[in-house]
Amino acid sequence: IYPELQPPEFACHEVSDTGLDLHYWTRRPPGLEPFVEGLLYGLGKMFSTPVRVTLTQHRGDGHDQSVFRVTWDEAT
């Protein structure tokens, strides 16, 4: 439907029992990180798993990707 569409890419790294690092790449200008953070909190709520999200690397600082550390309590 959208031949020019270039969706963002996501990859999980450093996965453990209580967290992961979510890597986020996009061709769009920096600034959508708060949207991605909200999606992550929404997913935690949808799966009844309260999460904490910390932006540990930001594309706006010259990196080619943003990285979010997503953690949760092991008991949940």
Side-chain angles (χ1 to χ4, degrees):
I1 296 174
Y2 302 101
E4 303 291 321
L5 179 68
Q6 297 178 341
E9 296 180 43
F10 296 92
C12 293
H13 294 277
E14 302 297 326
V15 179
S16 72
D17 289 341
T18 59
L20 58 85
D21 286 345
L22 181 75
H23 295 248
Y24 163 66
W25 294 269
T26 184
R27 294 181 186 258
R28 295 180 179 172
L32 291 175
E33 286 76 12
F35 177 76
V36 173
E37 183 177 347
L39 288 174
L40 294 169
Y41 280 113
L43 285 167
K45 185 175 182 179
M46 187 170 103
F47 289 100
S48 301
T49 304
V51 297
R52 289 177 297 282
V53 180
T54 306
L55 183 62
T56 60
Q57 179 176 296
H58 191 278
R59 285 188 328 122
D61 294 335
H63 301 283
D64 68 336
Q65 60 188 288
S66 293
V67 180
F68 297 87
R69 168 102 5 105
V70 183
T71 57
W72 55 86
D73 292 330
E74 191 172 9
T76 57

